[in-house]
Amino acid sequence: MDHVRVVYATKTQHSKKLAQAVAKALLVQAKSVDQCTKGEQSELLFIAGGIYAGKCNPALVSYAQSLDTEQVKNVVLITSSVSITQRKQQEIREILTMKGISVVDEITCPGAVFFIKLTHPNKRDLQFVAEAAKSIVAKTIIS
């Protein structure tokens, strides 16, 4: 079983950037959920995705529905959204929780759409997400 994996689903490439920043910081590879094979296992799984018009990416929802406790024990959600009030992957969190998979944390940052917040996620956002991920891994492995 791999200790840490990073997966993402994206419509705007923002989640891919976030996932790659986390993967680089953790010395692993980021994979699109389309590249994941059934049954891949990890102790800690980072799932990166955006909120689009208040909703989770359907590909990410489908991926979350395919997971079970034999594959993954703990998840960290990485979320970007233009909205400040809807910057949580609530639907995915509920799916995972119902399956008995622990959501240990959620890292959020601004996203961009059309002409709103065009510079996000920026270099500072990527650095913030990567540092937060390293901190979570350190706490999770120690626990």
Side-chain angles (χ1 to χ4, degrees):
M1 180 177 287
D2 290 334
H3 291 291
V4 177
R5 288 189 311 122
V6 179
V7 300
Y8 65 90
T10 189
K11 292 182 179 185
T12 61
Q13 301 307 307
H14 297 156
S15 298
K16 180 178 181 179
K17 289 179 186 177
L18 294 168
Q20 288 174 332
V22 168
K24 182 177 179 182
L26 302 178
L27 305 174
V28 299
Q29 280 193 322
K31 282 187 178 181
S32 166
V33 294
D34 299 334
Q35 298 171 317
C36 294
T37 57
K38 188 161 177 64
E40 287 183 276
Q41 298 178 334
S42 60
E43 290 291 328
L44 182 61
L45 177 64
F46 286 84
I47 300 176
I51 301 295
Y52 306 94
K55 299 199 180 283
C56 299
N57 185 323
L60 214 54
V61 171
S62 179
Y63 177 75
Q65 290 169 335
S66 75
L67 295 174
D68 63 43
T69 56
E70 294 295 315
Q71 294 170 272
V72 63
K73 305 296 180 204
N74 301 294
V75 168
V76 175
L77 300 172
I78 303 168
T79 309
S80 68
S81 175
V82 171
S83 171
I84 293 173
T85 59
Q86 295 180 342
R87 201 176 285 164
K88 298 281 185 180
Q89 299 274 3
Q90 194 58 38
E91 184 179 6
I92 292 172
R93 181 183 293 273
E94 289 171 8
I95 291 166
L96 296 172
T97 301
M98 285 180 24
K99 290 176 167 277
I101 299 170
S102 175
V103 179
V104 296
D105 210 336
E106 185 164 4
I107 306 167
T108 65
C109 75
V113 65
F114 303 119
F115 297 108
I116 304 168
K117 298 184 183 178
L118 273 181
T119 61
H120 292 283
N122 59 28
K123 188 174 182 178
R124 182 181 291 159
D125 298 328
L126 298 176
Q127 184 176 0
F128 167 77
V129 169
E131 291 299 320
K134 288 190 331 190
S135 176
I136 291 166
V137 167
K139 284 189 281 187
T140 304
I141 291 174
I142 291 170
S143 307

